[in-house]
């Protein structure tokens, strides 16, 4: 299931020379969906369909995947990485950045462990933690959160 708006937005971004392409993803009913909110809805395009788009695959912009999922299993994250690798992403010249909010850092811990199964692709994955401006009560607290994430 691929929504035309998702495809046209990506086509426009690629055509216009975007520096990077970001997809927000979440898991519903066993499928990764491109969707901003992990709210139980299944209206987002299937990630597997989006990753298969010829224009997206032929672009050279880094692919940022923001994992919005609030309760994935290790297997779910492994499946996400496997899907990216199988579609030809996370290779020389086409890095993939997996990112998530600090409150969902387990997504990245699982990703780091899952990448052990992909030694030739692991160097082309980057892991990013997103910290909101209201995510800490002080600079010291914010610095501690960054250190903990590291």
């Amino acid at each position: 299931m691929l929504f035309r708006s998702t495809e046209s937005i990506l086509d426009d971004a690629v055509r216009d020379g975007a520096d990077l392409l970001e997809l927000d993803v979440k898991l519903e009913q066993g499928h990764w969906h491109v969707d901003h909110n992990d709210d139980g809805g299944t209206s987002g395009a299937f990630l597997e369909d989006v990753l298969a788009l010829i224009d997206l695959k032929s672009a050279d912009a880094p692919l940022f995947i923001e994992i919005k999922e609030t309760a994935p299993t290790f297997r779910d994250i492994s499946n996400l990485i496997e899907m990216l690798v199988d579609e030809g992403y996370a290779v020389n010249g086409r890095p993939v950045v997996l990112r998530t909010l600090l409150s969902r850092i387990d997504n990245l811990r699982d990703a780091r462990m899952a990448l052990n199964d992909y030694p030739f692709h692991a160097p082309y994955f980057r892991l990013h933690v997103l910290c909101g401006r209201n995510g800490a009560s002080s600079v010291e607290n914010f610095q501690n959160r960054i250190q903990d994430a590291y």
Side-chain angles (χ1 to χ4, degrees), residues 27-125:
L27 191 68
E28 295 296 340
Q29 299 175 356
H31 294 280
W32 284 100
H33 291 264
V34 177
D35 199 338
H36 182 71
N37 296 311
D38 187 18
D39 58 5
T42 58
S43 62
F46 287 135
L47 178 60
E48 61 197 57
D49 294 337
V50 174
L51 293 176
L53 291 171
I54 298 301
D55 285 345
L56 182 61
K57 289 179 93 163
S58 64
D60 60 2
L63 185 61
F64 281 55
I65 302 290
E66 185 172 339
I67 305 170
K68 298 288 192 166
E69 180 58 37
T70 56
T73 64
F74 173 78
R75 187 73 222 142
D76 295 330
I77 297 296
S78 292
N79 288 342
L80 174 63
I81 291 170
E82 181 178 10
M83 188 184 318
L84 288 158
V85 168
D86 287 351
E87 285 296 335
Y89 298 93
V91 294
N92 189 22
R94 191 66 191 276
V96 172
V97 178
L98 299 176
R99 45 196 322 212
T100 196
L101 295 171
L102 185 58
S103 62
R104 299 174 186 167
I105 197 167
D106 286 343
N107 293 332
L108 298 183
R109 287 187 184 116
D110 287 345
R112 181 176 286 169
M113 288 182 4
L115 286 170
N116 289 328
D117 292 336
Y118 300 93
F120 297 112
H121 295 275
Y124 304 105
F125 277 95

Side-chain angles (χ1 to χ4, degrees), residues 10-36:
L10 286 169
D11 288 347
D12 290 347
V14 170
R15 184 190 64 247
D16 293 344
D19 292 334
L20 65 90
L21 301 166
E22 181 187 47
L23 302 172
D24 291 353
V25 300
K26 61 154 184 169
L27 191 68
E28 295 296 340
Q29 299 175 356
H31 294 280
W32 284 100
H33 291 264
V34 177
D35 199 338
H36 182 71

